[in-house]
Amino acid sequence: QGQLRESGGGPVQAGGSLRLSCVSSRSTFTRDCMGWWRLTPGNEREGVASIEFDGTMTYADSVKGRFTISKDYAKNTLYLEMNSLKPEDTAVYYCAADAEGTCGDSAHYVPTFTYRGQGTPVTVSS
């Protein structure tokens, strides 16, 4: 615990943008599979996006074309750029990490990753 720390959440109006950051203190950051998942107000866990050590990315269908995941190796930081936000994007967003090769072919797996941060809330108002 404490190896991943998210920031950047907050209130935003529909159509707006936010960038979430996740600073990793894991020594394996450059090789980790990493991702974002969210816990909705209805307590549903939804994988949002993942990025494998080789740069392969996956996205949930609900965010494709609006969200972008990226890693900054110089800053040991994972990002989630969120544009055209909708009220249904309201959730607590979690950064997650696991061993290289774990990402798989779908963001669906992200909530099952071994390591996660404390979460950052995003509230999108209409």
Side-chain angles (χ1 to χ4, degrees):
Q1 296 301 326
Q3 298 182 31
L4 303 172
R5 189 166 298 274
E6 306 96 334
S7 63
V12 63
Q13 289 193 324
S17 298
L18 281 176
R19 187 177 77 161
L20 305 183
S21 301
C22 171
V23 178
S24 172
S25 61
R26 288 172 51 78
S27 61
T28 53
F29 174 79
T30 58
R31 301 291 294 178
D32 279 346
C33 154
M34 296 191 73
W36 294 93
W37 61 276
R38 61 192 182 186
L39 184 65
T40 69
N43 271 337
E44 186 176 333
R45 293 188 174 200
E46 180 183 21
V48 174
S50 68
I51 183 166
E52 188 53 87
F53 74 96
D54 63 357
T56 302
M57 293 173 279
T58 67
Y59 293 95
D61 288 343
S62 58
V63 306
K64 277 181 183 175
R66 301 188 297 122
F67 291 11
T68 303
I69 189 171
S70 62
K71 286 175 91 172
D72 185 330
Y73 293 93
K75 296 182 178 179
N76 269 37
T77 301
L78 178 75
Y79 297 105
L80 185 69
E81 186 75 37
M82 306 188 295
N83 298 312
S84 302
L85 282 161
K86 304 175 181 180
E88 51 263 45
D89 295 318
T90 294
V92 178
Y93 284 73
Y94 293 88
C95 168
D98 214 319
E100 63 180 270
T102 306
C103 279
D105 59 359
S106 171
H108 173 76
Y109 301 113
V110 179
T112 68
F113 289 3
T114 302
Y115 304 96
R116 68 168 173 86
Q118 81 286 355
T120 185
V122 172
T123 303
V124 184
S125 59
S126 57

